[in-house]
Amino acid sequence: MNNEQNEFKKNPLGVQIDLSKFELATEEEKAQQEVMSESTTFFKDGMKKLMKNPLAVFSIIMLCIIILAAVVGPAVIPYEYSEMISVNGRRDKTAKNLAPFEWSKNEQKVIDGGEKLFPHILGTDEQCRDYLVRVLYGTRVSLFVGFFAALLVLIIGLLYGSISGYMGGRVDLIMMRIVDIIYSLPDTLMVILLSVVLKSTLAPAIEGTQLAKLGVNMISLFIVFGLLYWVGMARLIRGQILSIKENEYVLAAQATGAKSGWIIRKHIIPNCLSVIFISTALQIPSAIFTESFLSFIGLGVQAPMPSLGSLANAAREGMQSYPHKLVIPAIVICLLVLSFNLLGDGLRDAFDPKLRR
Amino acid sequence: MAKYVVKRILLAVLTVLVISVITFFAMNAIPGGPFSGEKALSPEVERVLMERYNLDKPVPVQYFIYMRRLLQGDFGVSLKTGREISKTVFESFAVSARLGGMAAVVAVIIGVVMGSIAALNRNRWPDRLIIFLSTLATAVPSFVLATLLLLIFCIQLGWFPVFSTTNQNYVLPVIALSLYPMAYITRLTKTSMLDALGQDYVRTARAKGVPVVKVIFKHALRNALIPVITYVGPMLAYILTGSLVVENIFTIGGLGSKFVTGITNRDYPMIMATTIFLASLMVVMNLLSDLVYKLVDPRIKFD
């Protein structure tokens, strides 16, 4: 066969077929083709990268501990966040400002009598309330505000940004000018002003409804977030949609007759999902930051509900004698913000397509 | 260029206008007026007072009266103290500006130095230490830092006296305000410095035999500083808002505390004056930092 082939003179312009290319593959050659790594999805690959990042793993563990403590802690400890310590059904006035693990005089008597009481691991505050429960509950409030505010920002930003990016033209121009203006508002001034206004105007409006349980301050906090903080997200999503819309595969899909619903579902959303997810994760610490700031200046959640900011603020008065009451909520705020920041950075390194190598 | 500048200035003016509208209508929506709360005034006295300060007119009319006076440079008088507001605002702004200016200068200088050190020692211990510290610093809110500094250095150690008008010690408030922007600038400088050091012109300069120090300062650092300029606007906004609480914690009578007491007192002209003043300041600073950024770097196109 080979001899036969060699008899032909190689003509560079001819369409002679190299017959050796059509021989059957041996078993060995077939096996070579099968050496492939296990197929992996974008998500799996990202998670693998995330788990290799020690800072991200540290922050995940830290967040798990904090969330677990905030969720389980108040259920395990037999004191309520608004409950003043009482002994045998009577309010115990000696349980004021106890140091960590200290018993009040009345409690000491009960313990001497053979009963067992749950220790005040972080002592009590100036109104005879167990401080650990208050800190844990405050953490829960801060986390709740953080998650919910991030969700709110995501929803509003997603709707606004995708409408603006998808419509384009004049609608886009006007919508983005509005965003520009809101973006350049000095947010803290507006937040303070709006919380004061909402606090006093909302109270009668929501009285008696389900919302009243949350407290006016909490709701006004969310309204403020919904009004002011979505602009960054809206800009980001619009930018994403604009740049993805220009890609060749979208053009190809359009050329092959895909409907716009299909293009949005199959091409645009999956491609901007990771960026949206990451910036939502980074929104949480900034919401916690703002909430604790507002609570610190007395505009955050309503007493007796604690939040980390209001606990720190309340502890300022007795800071000379009871520094731990200031230090503990302060440390929890810092740990929360730090962990969420590190996690967000880790997620970005692992999932952002522009940073992947 | 001129078109871009005009567009930006128009947008800035519009922003300030929107802020003035929001503030004016929002503060009038707060129940309770400037004259409630104190000893109950007789109805006649209250009526006279309301008339005198135009508070009896509908809110939109009040707004136009206010804005017309404002454009003539008249901030009005405080409803609580009767003092001229422009005086109060500028006096307290002088205090805030000194504090904020010091914090900004400290943040920029230390941030740039730290960032450059980190970039030049990439992946060695100074880099790791600096990045570790700056990551920690970005997680500490200024009000937490301020209270902790007060607790540790004033109360526990007694190194610094607590701030007062007679005894002005700016060290702690400046640290509290500058730490976050400092950390941010450090990270920003590190990234842009690394970027600049990898450029061809740096290699060319080294190959031609330019001394290392000159390459770093003249070629790399000058280009690395451009992104820092864009952060100046947001940094001033951060310092201004941070000073709202930091001034309160260290009991410094700055503009921030005037804003907060203005709100609690329903002192309408005071709220308006402080908001418009601070907002215009932030808007102008943002505008300037954007324009300077585009002027400094000829590669950036105007859109």
Side-chain angles (χ1 to χ4, degrees):
Chain A
M1 200 158 163
N2 276 340
N3 291 340
E4 251 178 32
Q5 204 186 359
N6 285 341
E7 280 168 25
F8 291 106
K9 267 198 177 165
K10 280 248 163 102
N11 179 356
L13 294 175
V15 268
Q16 296 155 345
I17 294 163
D18 184 0
L19 288 176
S20 68
K21 281 186 181 163
F22 292 86
E23 279 169 22
L24 279 176
T26 60
E27 286 302 315
E28 207 179 310
E29 279 168 335
K30 275 184 194 163
Q32 263 177 8
Q33 291 295 315
E34 275 161 23
V35 184
M36 273 163 65
S37 62
E38 213 177 305
S39 79
T40 176
T41 59
F42 178 71
F43 180 74
K44 262 194 209 159
D45 189 34
M47 286 310 282
K48 218 164 113 190
K49 266 193 174 166
L50 189 66
M51 287 303 154
K52 274 187 190 158
N53 181 346
L55 283 178
V57 174
F58 161 80
S59 61
I60 291 173
I61 294 171
M62 188 54 87
L63 284 176
C64 285
I65 294 173
I66 294 175
I67 292 173
L68 205 69
V71 172
V72 177
V76 173
I77 301 168
Y79 304 107
E80 286 289 315
Y81 71 88
S82 57
E83 174 200 335
M84 294 160 192
I85 305 293
S86 53
V87 175
N88 294 333
R90 283 184 52 208
R91 213 192 129 187
D92 182 5
K93 283 192 179 143
T94 54
K96 194 171 164 185
N97 283 325
L98 295 177
F101 289 107
E102 194 188 319
W103 299 106
S104 70
K105 280 178 197 153
N106 292 345
E107 282 175 321
Q108 196 61 52
K109 276 180 209 156
V110 176
I111 292 168
D112 290 342
E115 264 184 74
K116 273 198 176 167
L117 287 176
F118 199 85
H120 306 296
I121 296 172
L122 294 179
T124 55
D125 69 357
E126 72 289 343
Q127 291 190 41
C128 314
R129 295 173 292 200
D130 187 82
Y131 203 59
L132 178 63
V133 171
R134 285 185 70 74
V135 170
L136 289 176
Y137 208 85
T139 314
R140 198 193 265 190
V141 169
S142 292
L143 281 171
F144 173 74
V145 171
F147 281 118
F148 198 77
L151 194 69
L152 203 66
V153 165
L154 174 68
I155 293 171
I156 299 176
L158 190 64
L159 281 177
Y160 196 94
S162 47
I163 291 173
S164 173
Y166 198 75
M167 302 284 270
R170 183 165 294 229
V171 178
D172 179 38
L173 198 76
I174 294 169
M175 286 177 96
M176 278 302 121
R177 283 292 154 276
I178 296 172
V179 165
D180 280 347
I181 289 171
I182 298 180
Y183 201 76
S184 49
L185 293 180
D187 49 359
T188 318
L189 293 183
M190 290 294 126
V191 165
I192 293 174
L193 193 70
L194 286 178
S195 353
V196 174
V197 174
L198 290 170
K199 202 173 133 186
S200 36
T201 47
L202 266 185
I206 61 161
E207 215 177 296
T209 59
Q210 230 16 52
L211 289 173
K213 273 188 197 159
L214 264 180
V216 184
N217 288 20
M218 187 88 102
I219 292 167
S220 63
L221 206 64
F222 287 134
I223 294 179
V224 165
F225 271 106
L227 284 177
L228 291 178
Y229 283 81
W230 54 270
V231 281
M233 185 69 83
R235 264 189 178 179
L236 180 91
I237 290 167
R238 171 183 170 269
Q240 284 287 315
I241 287 180
L242 281 186
S243 70
I244 292 168
K245 224 166 65 170
E246 298 302 314
N247 275 327
E248 280 85 359
Y249 53 80
V250 175
L251 188 68
Q254 275 168 345
T256 48
K259 296 205 176 65
S260 50
W262 169 270
I263 293 175
I264 292 174
R265 267 201 321 276
K266 283 281 164 187
H267 294 293
I268 293 181
I269 290 178
N271 273 303
C272 54
L273 209 56
S274 57
V275 175
I276 293 171
F277 183 59
I278 294 157
S279 60
T280 311
L282 285 172
Q283 199 68 48
I284 297 173
S286 101
I288 292 177
F289 216 93
T290 311
E291 185 274 328
S292 57
F293 173 82
L294 284 176
S295 294
F296 190 79
I297 58 174
L299 293 170
V301 296
Q302 216 141 11
M305 194 191 273
S307 107
L308 293 172
S310 59
L311 286 174
N313 189 28
R316 273 204 301 159
E317 279 167 26
M319 119 175 126
Q320 224 148 344
S321 339
Y322 316 105
H324 70 278
K325 282 184 198 159
L326 174 63
V327 173
I328 290 163
I331 288 179
V332 179
I333 296 175
C334 296
L335 272 181
L336 269 181
V337 174
L338 180 69
S339 312
F340 274 115
N341 275 340
L342 288 177
L343 180 63
D345 285 349
L347 284 174
R348 186 171 52 207
D349 290 344
F351 285 100
D352 193 333
K354 281 179 208 114
L355 290 173
R356 286 163 66 93
R357 270 178 217 122
Chain B
M1 170 78 193
K3 203 179 154 200
Y4 175 79
V5 174
V6 169
K7 204 175 108 189
R8 285 300 310 264
I9 290 175
L10 281 179
L11 190 67
V13 172
L14 188 63
T15 309
V16 174
L17 215 63
V18 168
I19 292 167
S20 74
V21 172
I22 295 176
T23 316
F24 202 89
F25 287 89
M27 73 185 185
N28 275 294
I30 307 172
F35 305 116
S36 58
E38 277 172 75
K39 281 177 285 174
L41 297 165
S42 65
E44 295 100 79
V45 176
E46 199 174 331
R47 199 176 49 79
V48 172
L49 277 172
M50 296 290 256
E51 212 162 281
R52 179 156 162 220
Y53 294 113
N54 291 319
L55 293 173
D56 52 343
K57 300 195 173 63
V59 180
V61 177
Q62 283 184 44
Y63 176 73
F64 283 112
I65 294 173
Y66 182 85
M67 285 313 277
R68 201 175 60 220
R69 287 203 183 143
L70 185 68
L71 291 177
Q72 291 161 355
D74 178 12
F75 275 106
V77 291
S78 164
L79 298 183
K80 278 283 154 174
T81 60
R83 279 191 74 200
E84 235 178 274
I85 286 194
S86 50
K87 252 191 200 153
T88 320
V89 167
F90 289 122
E91 270 168 26
S92 48
F93 176 66
V95 179
S96 292
R98 200 178 308 151
L99 176 63
M102 276 199 262
V105 170
V106 167
V108 170
I109 293 178
I110 299 186
V112 167
V113 170
M114 290 294 202
S116 310
I117 292 176
L120 293 171
N121 291 291
R122 193 182 184 186
N123 289 337
R124 275 182 283 165
W125 68 265
D127 175 27
R128 287 176 203 278
L129 184 70
I130 287 170
I131 293 305
F132 174 73
L133 289 180
S134 67
T135 312
L136 277 191
T138 45
V140 187
S142 58
F143 67 90
V144 169
L145 185 66
T147 23
L148 289 182
L149 286 175
L150 191 69
L151 175 67
I152 296 170
F153 292 105
C154 292
I155 293 171
Q156 302 278 358
L157 296 173
W159 287 1
F160 295 98
V162 178
F163 190 97
S164 68
T165 37
T166 49
N167 161 43
Q168 305 190 336
N169 191 322
Y170 280 101
V171 176
L172 294 181
V174 165
I175 295 178
L177 277 179
S178 62
L179 199 70
Y180 180 87
M182 192 192 294
Y184 194 92
I185 291 177
T186 303
R187 301 174 84 177
L188 203 63
T189 313
K190 189 201 158 187
T191 348
S192 61
M193 188 76 171
L194 279 180
D195 190 41
L197 285 175
Q199 295 290 326
D200 290 342
Y201 54 77
V202 169
R203 197 174 342 112
T204 313
R206 281 295 292 141
K208 285 194 324 195
V210 182
V212 178
V213 177
K214 209 175 164 193
V215 172
I216 291 171
F217 281 96
K218 213 175 162 195
H219 296 259
L221 191 61
R222 273 178 68 174
N223 283 291
L225 283 183
I226 292 172
V228 177
I229 295 171
T230 49
Y231 182 61
V232 168
M235 175 177 77
L236 287 174
Y238 175 88
I239 288 178
L240 273 175
T241 54
S243 69
L244 290 182
V245 264
V246 171
E247 280 174 11
N248 183 354
I249 291 167
F250 289 101
T251 55
I252 303 168
L255 204 52
S257 52
K258 291 282 179 299
F259 176 69
V260 177
T261 47
I263 286 190
T264 43
N265 284 341
R266 308 278 183 276
D267 193 345
Y268 296 144
M270 185 63 99
I271 304 175
M272 277 307 275
T274 41
T275 316
I276 290 185
F277 188 76
L278 285 176
S280 323
L281 198 69
M282 285 188 205
V283 170
V284 169
M285 284 302 170
N286 266 327
L287 180 68
L288 281 183
S289 83
D290 270 16
L291 291 182
V292 169
Y293 176 59
K294 305 217 163 180
L295 277 180
V296 173
D297 193 348
R299 285 170 301 185
I300 295 158
K301 286 196 203 108
F302 292 93
D303 50 346

